[in-house]
Amino acid sequence: MRKDRQTQGAYDRICPAGGLASKGRPKYKNPLMPPGRRIFGYLSIPVGVYLFIVVVPTLFAFGYSFFEWSGGPGKKFIGLDNYIQLLHDKTFWLSFKNTMLFTVLMVAGQVGIAFIFTLFFTMKWVKFVELHRRVMYFPSIIAAVVIGLMWQLIYNNDFGILNHFLRASGLDGWIKPWLDDPKIAMLSVAVPVIWQFIGYYLVLLMGAVATIPKDILEVAEIDGATGFKRSLYITIPLIWDTLKICLMICFAGSFKAFDHIMVMTGGGPGRATSVLSLYNYDTSFVQMKMGYASAMAVVILVVSMTLTIGIQRLMEGKANDH
């Protein structure tokens, strides 16, 4: 009995906030937990940075879109004229078409090829998987400007490695002005971007595949679900959430593509590789039509958010089907 009272007293001293604590005794406070005001202050820092960098410029751009403004102190209110002009701007819609084409190439190339490599690396007979993954991931940490300059040299008509290899192989008919031909310029620009980020999505997808219980794969193999059937009915449904995230990241990143195209072609030849971000840059800082560029930025934001939400809803529906 005495031993029980001693045990209870020790418990009350250690955990005074417990259910058996004496009435009126002050509640236990964790010394590692900062006060509520300090927590609010810590959390307000990233929120404030986000508001200053993203929300405030967006609101300013929306306000400037109603003005004819070239960046100076003088602004002329013109209402919705910038938006009306944008609807009839053929270059804008050509850039939108190029952006959608570029996005489709990125999704199919980056995520699609990464998924194929992921399935390939899960084969039991494949060796040095970790080495392959690291080598393929390495280009994704290189700056986009460096990648653009490197591939610009590869594509060079006179001393580029690609045309030199084709010439040495006797394939003179395949030699082309890769960045100067409007018919193939967009595809030529897309290849370096696809090559750079395959490894990034490969790492994400291989991480998701690693979480699949081996028992499920073994049972599927015993039941005869191998190769394509195992990928379709086992792998894809179990990593669908990660695959969806990869698709959304790829779509969002492709819709704001700028660096690679700016370095390799500058939007040319003509407007063959002009995308929305590049045309918006040209309108803002070359033509100095800040008001019109602000209206364009608002429309790009609305269109990209609408497409992103629509694709997300579509993929959620596919997930429910699975």
Side-chain angles (χ1 to χ4, degrees):
M1 202 62 178
R2 182 179 178 183
K3 193 172 185 180
D4 293 341
R5 285 197 298 269
Q6 290 176 350
T7 304
Q8 181 63 45
Y11 176 78
D12 289 341
R13 286 192 298 272
I14 297 173
C15 302
L20 300 177
S22 302
K23 186 176 181 180
R25 185 174 295 178
K27 293 183 178 181
Y28 171 74
K29 293 183 179 180
N30 188 349
L32 300 178
M33 179 68 70
R37 293 181 179 178
R38 190 176 299 176
I39 295 176
F40 178 79
Y42 291 152
L43 294 178
S44 64
I45 294 175
V47 174
V49 172
Y50 179 81
L51 290 174
F52 181 75
I53 295 178
V54 178
V55 177
V56 173
T58 302
L59 295 177
F60 271 102
F62 181 72
Y64 291 148
S65 67
F66 298 104
F67 291 86
E68 182 181 345
W69 181 44
S70 60
K75 296 192 292 287
K76 179 183 177 182
F77 182 78
I78 57 175
L80 298 175
D81 287 358
N82 283 330
Y83 292 97
I84 296 174
Q85 180 182 351
L86 192 63
L87 292 176
H88 300 88
D89 189 344
K90 295 182 179 180
T91 305
F92 173 80
W93 293 110
L94 176 61
S95 301
F96 177 77
K97 175 185 174 182
N98 291 338
T99 302
M100 295 305 299
L101 174 60
F102 184 82
T103 302
V104 171
L105 292 173
M106 292 302 103
V107 172
Q110 293 177 355
V111 182
I113 296 177
F115 182 71
I116 293 174
F117 273 109
T118 300
L119 299 179
F120 176 73
F121 288 149
T122 56
M123 302 295 180
K124 295 181 180 179
W125 51 270
V126 178
K127 305 297 182 182
F128 307 109
V129 174
E130 188 65 25
L131 176 63
H132 293 317
R133 183 168 62 177
R134 292 184 180 184
V135 170
M136 294 184 67
Y137 180 76
F138 177 73
S140 64
I141 65 176
I142 303 176
V145 175
V146 176
I147 297 294
L149 289 173
M150 182 177 69
W151 278 84
Q152 190 180 42
L153 294 175
I154 293 175
Y155 283 138
N156 189 275
N157 298 334
D158 300 323
F159 52 83
I161 297 176
L162 179 57
N163 282 344
H164 177 74
F165 174 77
L166 294 174
R167 192 176 295 109
S169 302
L171 302 174
D172 294 349
W174 289 22
I175 297 177
K176 298 180 182 297
W178 301 99
L179 297 177
D180 297 328
D181 187 349
K183 296 180 180 179
I184 61 174
M186 180 58 74
L187 182 61
S188 300
V189 167
V191 169
V193 189
I194 294 173
W195 170 79
Q196 182 179 9
F197 290 106
I198 287 176
Y200 175 78
Y201 296 104
L202 174 68
V203 171
L204 295 178
L205 292 174
M206 287 192 68
V209 171
T211 62
I212 300 177
K214 293 183 179 180
D215 297 342
I216 296 178
L217 298 177
E218 292 175 356
V219 171
E221 188 174 354
I222 293 173
D223 292 340
T226 58
F228 177 76
K229 290 184 178 180
R230 188 179 70 173
S231 302
L232 183 61
Y233 297 108
I234 304 296
T235 305
I236 293 179
L238 292 178
I239 68 168
W240 178 252
D241 290 337
T242 303
L243 189 61
K244 180 171 64 174
I245 292 173
C246 291
L247 291 172
M248 298 304 299
I249 294 175
C250 185
F251 177 84
S254 303
F255 214 83
K256 58 182 182 182
F258 178 82
D259 311 57
H260 301 83
I261 301 176
M262 183 66 180
V263 172
M264 284 189 284
T265 64
R271 293 285 182 179
T273 58
S274 177
V275 291
L276 289 175
S277 57
L278 200 61
Y279 182 50
N280 187 257
Y281 169 84
D282 181 73
T283 305
S284 302
F285 302 108
V286 178
Q287 303 179 32
M288 297 302 295
K289 297 180 179 179
M290 296 295 185
Y292 184 56
S294 298
M296 190 185 305
V298 172
V299 172
I300 293 173
L301 175 63
V302 173
V303 171
S304 61
M305 289 184 63
T306 302
L307 291 175
T308 302
I309 294 173
I311 293 174
Q312 184 178 4
R313 299 298 184 191
L314 179 62
M315 288 190 295
E316 287 177 354
K318 293 290 184 180
N320 294 332
D321 293 341
H322 288 303

